[in-house]
């Protein structure tokens, strides 16, 4: 009997170890910033961009007193959102993109609290997120509705367990016509758990990967506009909405 228990324990430990290693290697197969983006946004040379251990911070030259925390999509490197971060910071926003454990935002939902508490400057904070990052961001917002001034979904939507239909929190949902991962049907279904005041904006010809700049993504559809054009429309839409809220 003891031998059976011993071998059962060894087998279970081996399964856990193999599964853990498999998850780690899977999580490390990430989507990195494109060469074009790296050449455009020179993070290491820009004095207004701070690289901290867990965060990438885009500081404005002149603050508009609004801060935006952007949760990255699953397995997407934070640098892939560099164009979004830099462009919004040039409009006065403080933008913080947290590096998530194993590149999965659900494992770092509480990063917003750490970020907000780390700033001496009094800012009005908004949370945003791409794909699964948006789900994680809205999960944080659901439990901190008195602190968060608004939520911006980028090809994303909340889970049924976070029903905002009766909430006063403002929402913006930006989605793309040719998104193969977050479909228009997904966005339509999300409307019942979002406030009636939610603003929805579709990017014609855009796709899922176009919410960052990291190249093609498995399962996505082909975009009919360039990543830069999609990014510019996202930035313009976010800025207009944030200005009103």
């Amino acid at each position: 009997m003891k031998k059976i228990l011993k071998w059962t324990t060894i087998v279970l430990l081996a399964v856990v170890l193999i599964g853990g290693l498999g998850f780690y290697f899977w999580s490390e197969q990430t989507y990195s910033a494109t060469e074009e983006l790296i050449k455009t946004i020179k993070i290491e040379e820009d004095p207004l961009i701070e690289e901290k251990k867990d965060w990438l911070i885009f500081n404005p030259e002149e603050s508009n007193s609004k801060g935006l925390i952007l949760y990255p999509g699953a397995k997407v490197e934070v640098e892939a959102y560099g164009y979004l971060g830099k462009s919004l910071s040039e409009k006065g926003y403080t933008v913080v993109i947290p590096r998530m454990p194993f590149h999965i935002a659900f494992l770092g939902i509480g990063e917003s609290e750490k970020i907000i508490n780390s700033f001496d400057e009094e800012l009005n904070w908004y949370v945003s997120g791409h794909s699964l990052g948006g789900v994680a961001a809205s999960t944080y917002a659901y439990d901190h509705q008195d602190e968060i001034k608004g939520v911006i979904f980028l090809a994303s939507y909340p889970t049924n367990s976070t029903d905002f239909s009766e909430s006063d929190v403002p929402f913006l949902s930006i989605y793309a016509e040719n998104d193969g991962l977050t479909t228009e049907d997904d966005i339509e279904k999300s409307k019942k758990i979002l406030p009636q005041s939610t603003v929805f904006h579709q990017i014609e010809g855009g796709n899922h990967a176009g919410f960052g700049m990291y190249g093609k993504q498995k399962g996505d559809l082909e975009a009919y506009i360039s990543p830069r054009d999609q990014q510019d429309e996202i930035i313009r839409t976010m800025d207009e909405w944030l200005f009103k809220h």
Side-chain angles (χ1 to χ4, degrees):
M1 186 66 176
K2 288 183 179 180
K3 286 186 177 181
I4 293 174
L5 288 174
K6 178 182 177 181
W7 281 109
T8 300
T9 301
I10 291 173
V11 170
L12 288 174
L13 288 173
V15 169
V16 171
L17 178 61
I18 293 170
L21 287 172
F23 173 78
Y24 172 76
F25 286 119
W26 172 83
S27 70
E28 290 302 306
Q29 295 173 7
T30 57
Y31 295 97
S32 304
T34 61
E35 287 297 323
E36 177 191 356
L37 179 58
I38 293 171
K39 292 177 181 178
T40 303
I41 308 297
K42 299 181 179 180
I43 292 173
E44 295 180 356
E45 300 176 16
D46 193 324
L48 293 174
I49 301 177
E50 291 181 65
E51 282 193 277
K52 293 195 173 183
K53 179 183 177 182
D54 297 320
W55 311 329
L56 185 60
I57 305 173
F58 297 83
N59 295 294
E61 286 190 17
E62 188 173 338
S63 175
N64 61 13
S65 299
K66 293 183 177 182
L68 178 71
I69 300 167
L70 175 59
Y71 286 56
K75 297 172 60 175
V76 181
E77 302 280 357
V78 296
E79 292 80 7
Y81 302 99
Y83 186 74
L84 274 177
K86 183 60 181 176
S87 297
L88 287 169
S89 72
E90 289 174 347
K91 296 179 182 297
Y93 303 99
T94 299
V95 182
V96 185
I97 310 176
R99 292 183 172 87
M100 295 300 182
F102 300 103
H103 307 286
I104 304 295
F106 266 113
L107 301 179
I109 290 174
E111 282 301 302
S112 285
E113 185 173 4
K114 298 177 186 177
I115 291 167
I116 292 169
N117 292 336
S118 74
F119 276 78
D120 295 329
E121 184 183 1
E122 196 72 28
L123 296 173
N124 291 312
W125 286 99
Y126 301 76
V127 292
S128 179
H130 174 214
S131 195
L132 286 177
V135 181
S138 64
T139 300
Y140 178 83
Y142 188 79
D143 294 325
H144 299 82
Q145 296 187 43
D146 293 335
E147 303 168 23
I148 298 301
K149 302 301 181 182
V151 179
I152 302 175
F153 286 118
L154 303 177
S156 187
Y157 48 89
T159 62
N160 289 326
S161 62
T162 54
D163 188 336
F164 289 95
S165 58
E166 301 298 324
S167 174
D168 294 327
V169 176
F171 280 82
L172 168 64
S173 177
I174 306 176
Y175 60 103
E177 181 182 17
N178 295 332
D179 192 325
L181 301 173
T182 301
T183 66
E184 289 186 51
D185 188 47
D186 292 328
I187 299 300
E188 187 63 34
K189 289 178 180 177
S190 74
K191 291 181 178 180
K192 64 183 179 182
I193 54 174
L194 288 171
Q196 290 187 355
S197 60
T198 300
V199 175
F200 291 89
H201 179 87
Q202 183 190 66
I203 299 177
E204 295 183 6
N207 66 358
H208 196 81
F211 285 90
M213 295 183 75
Y214 52 86
K216 293 185 177 182
Q217 187 166 356
K218 185 178 180 180
D220 202 6
L221 300 178
E222 197 71 31
Y224 296 130
I225 59 175
S226 70
R228 179 66 67 87
D229 286 343
Q230 180 165 339
Q231 294 273 297
D232 286 339
E233 186 170 343
I234 293 167
I235 292 159
R236 185 167 58 252
T237 305
M238 291 176 75
D239 181 41
E240 290 173 356
W241 183 86
L242 284 164
F243 180 78
K244 294 176 181 178
H245 298 85

